[in-house]
Amino acid sequence: MDDGFFSLHSASPRTNSDDASSSSPPLRTPKIFDRYFSSSSPSSSSSDDDLQPSNPNPSLEASTKRLDYMIQFLDRKLSNNNSNNSSNNNESVSHRHKTPALPEFIGKGGGTGIFRIPVRSAVHPDRPPSLEIRPHPLRESQTGRFLRTIVTTETQLWGGRENGAVQVWELKEMYGGSDETAPFKESVALNSGSGVTCLVGDEGSRVVWSGHRDGRIRCWKMDTGPGLDRSRVKEVLSWMAHRGPVMTMILTCYGDLWSGSEGGVIKMWPWEDLEKAFSFTAEERHMAALSVERSYIDIRNQVTMNGFSNVLNSDVRYLLSDNSRAKVWSAGFQSFALWDAHTRELLKMFNIDGQIERLDMLSGQDLTFEDDTKMKIVAGSKKEKMQTSFGFFQRSRNAIMGAADAVRRVAVKGGFGDDNRRTEALIITTDGMIWTGCANGSLVQWDGNGNRLQHFQYQPVAVQCLCTFGLQIWVGYASGIVQVLDLEGNLLGGWVAHSSQVIKMAVGGGCVFTLANHGSIRGWNVMSPGPLDGILRSELAGKEFLYTRIENLKILAGTWNVAQGRASQDSLVSWLGSAAGDVGIVVVGLQEVEMGAGVLAMSAAKETVGLEGSSAGQWWLDMIGKTLDEGSTFERAGSRQLAGLLIAMWVRNNLKGHVGDVDAAAVPCGFGRAIGNKGAVGLRIRVYDRVMCFINCHFAAHLEAVNRRNADFDHVYRTMTFVRPSNFFNAATAGTSSAVQILGGANVMGGHSPEGIPELSEADMVIFLGDFNYRLDGISYDEARDFVSQRSFDWLREKDQLRTEMGVGKVFQGMREAVIRFPPTYKFEKHQPGLAGYDSGEKKRIPAWCDRVLYRDSRSAHVSECCLDCPVVSLISQYDACMDVTDSDHKPVRCIFSVDIARVDESLQQLV
């Protein structure tokens, strides 16, 4: 999750029709974030005068919002002050929610190793204030549209999408405005096979070149000109450049366009042919494209003519133009080549250790026929035999080295061998030094002639990208961290810039822009880290009430052990339908959907190949969906089944734009922690940029198995890892770059931290529900029945194993549960109504509250119990069991949460 407050951009991703209103805002007064904008940035062009803002009076709208937020803030302050003397913190929370809150029991423990919620304050104390160009979009809203690369020109920021479209922001329009994200325009989407892989700005020709996955190179005009459709970016030129993807492109100091692809292919288009193509009219565009396509020079063929056909045969992933020396660097994962930018001559080849690779030894070629013939004419018979022998050994050596090189290339692609040292980024600094970033986190400095000088390492994770500005080097890591170094390699500072991998950086308009793998773009002051950061933080923090607001959300969580049965429609309506009237999210956890040795074995087999689900599970999903009016009122957000355990989530239609990034997980706890007869399944979601986890559990049974139940919880809490995205509104996940793969398949929202902190500990809110199987201790069956009939629940709660274990911090540490005021939910005879339905058979199991709902929100991770300082604060307004439902030997339980989520209105924060 992003470490800052949520920006409501992703609730409704900007569509093509929205872009028409993404024009420049009206004149405005100076604002604090103007300090990020370079004073040398170009002023607005006259062509902007005919553009009208999407809102005729955005200043009035912003003022109204600020007034509303201020009133809300004062209301919260007054409510909190009126409740300061209350001994029950939930009373203060209820004032904030304006909803009656049930009293709660809070377990002991928590803290270090249990809770470590990331900093969620409006102004993050550990990083410079940033400009949100494109706040973290929901993964589900970005299907096929993820941004994969960015580049800056003098006046614009360009982004390339997975669907082949390009997106453009004007630097002067990134400040202020009435929308949650900076206004932009974009081109028409192409298709998933033509995704943008690289971008190059050409200031001289006022165009931007884009390389695509389908092998095409496209040219886009920076300025569309007056009188044209300013909501769209127009394509000027397009041609097929490579058979494989265009992996990298550069413009040399001579204006030539170089591009690299798979198999070592490097092509160059002379600037004369590019300029000539621009002279064609619109009607002659096809001729222009054909002319450019035929004008290329195959750089590798020039090496072949000199007798070295296999010198470059690994993928060309990076190109770099050294303009001061008129050289071009090309690089793969494990090797580099140095070229003359004018003559295109290969000057040098060397590996990641700086060792020069001899061209004749790596060529894989034997002596040419002409050379062999000449040697035979000159040499005598003895020499002839020696030459034949030499030729045999030479051929053998070349063949072996060629095979070894091929194996090395396959190893690099396959993710083994020396993969952790591979090159992942390449830049040149103002002092002429070349810097490379590696998959193991190291940074290597080279001189302009390809001599390795020194290396540094400040992070253990992969370097994803590099950029430079002035006397500084900016480094983006797969962990989301950004670091700033000086030209000597000394670390100046660093911070967590994104919750996802930083995959690209670009400099422009006084900012260093960082693109995260999940699609977020942030702008950082080029002077960071520095004194200005503290000034900005202080000023923004002092005016937090002007741009923060509270979103209220109701969540219905229901749990039911269905004992391998099927419920009637009336039972489901009584349990869920009657309570879902005004809730936004419904989470349902079922246990014992189906059991038996065959079912468990089949489930275990499915899990090994990544499959899940069953016909019984699908029946329950369909029936609950029908009860909730799925498709009309609610949409199913995700589900996960492990043997008899099933969890599913439904989101109300008017809320689904704010809910996404759904991931699922499962942890078996039965039979050596391998079988799913006991265990847990979970869903993790992002709501208003807050992480929420819902965990459905079924722990060890029987009265005496308290320690096993405690151990089951501990195992689930510490090992549950969300690694698989759920199918949410036809969702698709973003791809990751090669460097990310070394993280062991870490989820886009994060994995286990280096300290081994569980993922669940870092969520803003966690709700546990299920058949925890804790029983009543020190009481007989008859005594329990008597107390239940008299509704003497206070005394019964003192016998509750779970309450006892929580009271001494052995399980569910620091978590909360509403005080139980309903009869024990286990065990009943099926289809026996009323309290008379408790088990009266031979075993006469003592009634117990096996089925529970517990939670933890942001308050649990703070020393202070002040809910105003917590990003997620919840109360329980309803906690009961549906005693009229008789389809199982357990009664279904439901709990309704009223959740306050604090978030930042980015459009107003920039106006402060």
Side-chain angles (χ1 to χ4, degrees):
M1 292 316 349
D2 275 9
D3 300 309
F5 274 35
F6 180 73
S7 307
L8 187 60
H9 74 293
S10 58
S12 300
R14 296 174 65 91
T15 60
N16 294 340
S17 60
D18 294 332
D19 297 340
S21 63
S22 306
S23 50
S24 56
L27 294 177
R28 54 181 179 77
T29 55
K31 307 170 185 68
I32 187 172
F33 268 91
D34 288 347
R35 303 178 193 181
Y36 274 19
F37 194 59
S38 173
S39 59
S40 62
S41 298
S43 59
S44 176
S45 62
S46 59
S47 62
D48 290 338
D49 295 339
D50 61 335
L51 302 179
Q52 296 298 321
S54 58
N55 186 337
N57 198 341
S59 298
L60 178 60
E61 180 183 352
S63 298
T64 303
K65 280 187 179 181
R66 284 198 295 269
L67 182 59
D68 289 342
Y69 298 169
M70 188 185 303
I71 293 173
Q72 186 187 57
F73 173 81
L74 293 174
D75 180 62
R76 298 198 311 268
K77 279 288 187 182
L78 290 173
S79 298
N80 189 59
N81 291 336
N82 292 336
S83 308
N84 278 340
N85 297 326
S86 171
S87 60
N88 185 354
N89 181 251
N90 249 42
E91 183 177 331
S92 173
V93 179
S94 67
H95 279 282
R96 178 177 174 179
H97 290 256
K98 299 181 181 179
T99 303
L102 298 179
E104 295 179 336
F105 174 77
I106 305 175
K108 298 292 184 181
T112 304
I114 300 297
F115 302 139
R116 195 185 71 168
I117 298 176
V119 177
R120 304 291 195 191
S121 57
V123 182
H124 199 290
D126 299 323
R127 71 180 183 203
S130 61
L131 180 64
E132 292 280 356
I133 307 304
R134 188 175 189 259
H136 181 175
L138 296 173
R139 182 170 66 233
E140 292 76 12
S141 68
Q142 298 295 295
T143 303
R145 304 174 67 243
F146 281 92
L147 285 176
R148 295 292 88 191
T149 186
I150 56 174
V151 73
T152 53
T153 65
E154 289 183 357
T155 61
Q156 296 171 327
L157 171 66
W158 288 66
R161 291 179 177 269
E162 281 185 326
N163 61 4
V166 294
Q167 191 168 328
V168 186
W169 293 266
E170 299 290 338
L171 296 181
K172 64 178 179 295
E173 295 178 2
M174 291 181 174
Y175 306 84
S178 60
D179 209 342
E180 294 282 350
T181 186
F184 63 87
K185 55 188 176 182
E186 64 180 340
S187 68
V188 175
L190 300 174
N191 57 69
S192 59
S194 60
V196 180
T197 55
C198 52
L199 292 167
V200 174
D202 185 352
E203 295 289 351
S205 301
R206 300 296 297 164
V207 297
V208 170
W209 304 93
S210 63
H212 294 257
R213 194 181 300 125
D214 60 3
R216 299 190 74 86
I217 292 179
R218 290 179 166 84
C219 178
W220 313 86
K221 263 293 184 184
M222 291 185 187
D223 302 311
T224 54
L228 298 178
D229 182 6
R230 297 296 303 275
S231 66
R232 288 290 182 194
V233 184
K234 302 295 183 180
E235 179 184 297
V236 179
L237 197 60
S238 170
W239 72 92
M240 183 60 69
H242 295 276
R243 294 181 179 179
V246 182
M247 292 183 164
T248 178
M249 292 191 304
I250 57 161
L251 284 171
T252 69
C253 56
Y254 296 100
D256 303 328
L257 180 66
W258 290 47
S259 66
S261 185
E262 295 176 333
V265 177
I266 302 178
K267 293 184 179 181
M268 186 273 285
W269 285 266
W271 73 269
E272 299 94 336
D273 296 290
L274 299 177
E275 288 294 321
K276 181 181 178 181
F278 293 145
S279 65
F280 284 80
T281 64
E283 292 76 13
E284 299 172 325
R285 178 184 296 183
H286 176 71
M287 295 177 58
L290 189 60
S291 173
V292 172
E293 185 172 337
R294 293 175 175 176
S295 67
Y296 77 90
I297 297 174
D298 191 330
I299 302 298
R300 195 173 59 170
N301 278 348
Q302 299 203 109
V303 179
T304 303
M305 287 187 295
N306 292 326
F308 309 119
S309 62
N310 293 325
V311 170
L312 297 174
N313 43 26
S314 61
D315 297 347
V316 182
R317 306 191 65 89
Y318 314 101
L319 287 171
L320 176 69
S321 179
D322 184 349
N323 293 337
S324 62
R325 301 182 181 92
K327 294 179 180 178
V328 172
W329 288 57
S330 67
F333 281 144
Q334 302 286 340
S335 62
F336 303 90
L338 198 55
W339 309 80
D340 187 295
H342 180 59
T343 64
R344 279 86 71 179
E345 177 187 358
L346 178 61
L347 304 176
K348 182 180 181 181
M349 280 200 69
F350 49 99
N351 61 23
I352 55 178
D353 294 316
Q355 298 172 348
I356 297 176
E357 297 183 348
R358 294 184 59 187
L359 305 184
D360 56 338
M361 292 296 101
L362 290 179
S363 66
Q365 275 194 324
D366 194 5
L367 299 174
T368 63
F369 176 78
E370 292 81 359
D371 291 338
D372 195 30
T373 302
K374 291 178 182 178
M375 294 178 72
K376 287 182 179 179
I377 294 175
V378 174
S381 59
K382 184 175 180 180
K383 290 183 179 180
E384 222 173 83
K385 292 180 181 179
M386 292 178 61
Q387 181 59 44
T388 303
S389 177
F390 173 78
F392 170 77
F393 287 114
Q394 182 66 37
R395 285 193 299 271
S396 301
R397 187 177 188 276
N398 288 344
I400 292 172
M401 294 189 66
D405 187 57
V407 170
R408 180 185 58 79
R409 293 197 307 273
V410 173
V412 170
K413 288 186 177 182
F416 60 90
D418 203 20
D419 206 25
N420 68 325
R421 299 178 59 221
R422 66 180 181 233
T423 301
E424 292 285 353
L426 183 68
I427 60 161
I428 183 170
T429 53
T430 54
D431 59 354
M433 296 292 106
I434 311 297
W435 289 77
T436 58
C438 303
N440 61 2
S442 63
L443 300 163
V444 183
Q445 184 188 45
W446 310 74
D447 66 16
N449 295 318
N451 299 310
R452 180 176 171 132
L453 302 179
Q454 55 185 335
H455 78 277
F456 307 85
Q457 184 154 12
Y458 298 107
Q459 288 288 317
V461 296
V463 175
Q464 293 276 76
C465 52
L466 297 167
C467 77
T468 181
F469 179 82
L471 303 179
Q472 293 182 336
I473 302 169
W474 289 60
V475 187
Y477 291 93
S479 60
I481 290 175
V482 162
Q483 288 185 334
V484 183
L485 285 63
D486 63 20
L487 297 184
E488 300 299 321
N490 301 308
L491 182 62
L492 302 178
W495 57 89
V496 177
H498 297 275
S499 63
S500 182
Q501 304 92 341
V502 181
I503 60 175
K504 195 69 176 179
M505 292 191 289
V507 183
C511 286
V512 174
F513 298 103
T514 56
L515 169 64
N517 190 54
H518 55 46
S520 169
I521 301 178
R522 284 177 171 159
W524 310 88
N525 188 350
V526 293
M527 302 303 294
S528 294
L532 180 60
D533 298 334
I535 298 173
L536 288 174
R537 276 196 297 260
S538 176
E539 188 166 346
L540 286 172
K543 298 180 179 180
E544 180 179 339
F545 62 92
L546 292 176
Y547 55 84
T548 59
R549 64 170 299 169
I550 300 295
E551 298 284 356
N552 182 258
L553 168 70
K554 286 189 177 180
I555 299 175
L556 169 60
T559 176
W560 192 7
N561 184 322
V562 298
Q564 305 181 69
R566 295 193 175 186
S568 67
Q569 188 64 44
D570 290 342
S571 296
L572 292 176
V573 170
S574 176
W575 175 37
L576 301 173
S578 61
D582 60 345
V583 301
I585 296 176
V586 177
V587 179
V588 176
L590 304 177
Q591 307 86 44
E592 295 190 14
V593 169
E594 52 186 348
M595 298 295 286
V599 170
L600 296 177
M602 180 62 70
S603 173
K606 285 183 177 180
E607 290 286 331
T608 61
V609 294
L611 299 177
E612 59 159 298
S614 67
S615 59
Q618 188 61 49
W619 183 91
W620 279 98
L621 293 176
D622 294 340
M623 289 299 293
I624 295 174
K626 181 179 178 181
T627 304
L628 297 175
D629 194 19
E630 181 179 332
S632 177
T633 305
F634 285 89
E635 289 286 343
R636 191 164 81 238
S639 64
R640 181 69 163 96
Q641 184 174 357
L642 173 68
L645 282 163
L646 175 64
I647 189 171
M649 178 192 306
W650 285 262
V651 176
R652 191 173 291 274
N653 285 339
N654 61 6
L655 182 68
K656 67 182 183 181
H658 306 277
V659 178
D661 289 355
V662 184
D663 294 290
V667 177
C669 289
F671 302 118
R673 306 293 191 202
I675 304 299
N677 63 315
K678 294 294 187 289
V681 287
L683 293 175
R684 178 177 61 183
I685 64 171
R686 187 159 63 92
V687 184
Y688 295 116
D689 208 34
R690 295 290 172 261
V691 182
M692 294 186 179
C693 296
F694 304 91
I695 316 299
N696 173 32
C697 304
H698 194 189
F699 294 154
H702 305 302
L703 177 67
E704 69 281 358
V706 176
N707 291 335
R708 286 176 55 196
R709 286 189 277 276
N710 293 350
D712 284 348
F713 165 77
D714 189 70
H715 179 66
V716 168
Y717 191 82
R718 296 188 181 279
T719 63
M720 181 163 279
T721 304
F722 297 87
V723 295
R724 182 188 61 83
S726 294
N727 180 20
F728 180 72
F729 314 132
N730 298 319
T733 60
T736 55
S737 73
S738 55
V740 181
Q741 298 170 8
I742 70 169
L743 299 178
N747 189 271
V748 293
M749 296 173 64
H752 287 294
S753 65
E755 298 87 353
I757 301 298
E759 283 191 21
L760 291 177
S761 71
E762 299 185 310
D764 293 284
M765 184 176 185
V766 177
I767 295 178
F768 275 85
L769 62 155
D771 179 2
F772 301 154
N773 255 322
Y774 287 89
R775 309 300 174 88
L776 298 182
D777 255 337
I779 189 172
S780 68
Y781 173 83
D782 292 331
E783 288 174 328
R785 286 291 305 270
D786 288 342
F787 280 111
V788 170
S789 63
Q790 298 172 30
R791 301 190 69 83
S792 299
F793 301 139
D794 290 344
W795 194 87
L796 278 180
R797 285 195 297 267
E798 298 299 322
K799 303 296 183 181
D800 177 36
Q801 289 178 342
L802 179 55
R803 185 183 180 110
T804 301
E805 296 300 297
M806 289 178 64
V808 294
K810 290 186 177 180
V811 72
F812 291 103
Q813 292 87 349
M815 296 192 185
R816 301 166 179 257
E817 181 185 26
V819 174
I820 298 176
R821 292 173 175 169
F822 53 85
T825 56
Y826 175 83
K827 175 183 184 185
F828 289 84
E829 298 288 345
K830 289 185 179 182
H831 308 299
Q832 292 293 322
L835 298 181
Y838 280 113
D839 181 19
S840 58
E842 180 180 351
K843 293 185 177 180
K844 285 191 175 182
R845 292 179 178 86
I846 300 172
W849 286 296
C850 292
D851 310 284
R852 314 284 278 267
V853 179
L854 286 78
Y855 80 102
R856 183 265 297 164
D857 61 15
S858 298
R859 289 172 293 171
S860 304
H862 292 261
V863 176
S864 169
E865 284 289 326
C866 175
C867 7
L868 293 173
D869 297 332
C870 302
V872 176
V873 178
S874 312
L875 62 82
I876 297 176
S877 60
Q878 182 178 343
Y879 189 34
D880 59 1
C882 299
M883 304 304 294
D884 60 322
V885 175
T886 63
D887 303 283
S888 170
D889 58 352
H890 289 250
K891 299 298 183 182
V893 173
R894 63 191 177 195
C895 184
I896 296 181
F897 296 87
S898 180
V899 184
D900 276 350
I901 303 175
R903 69 178 183 89
V904 162
D905 188 327
E906 294 289 344
S907 65
L908 292 185
Q909 188 184 52
Q910 297 173 22
L911 293 172
V912 171

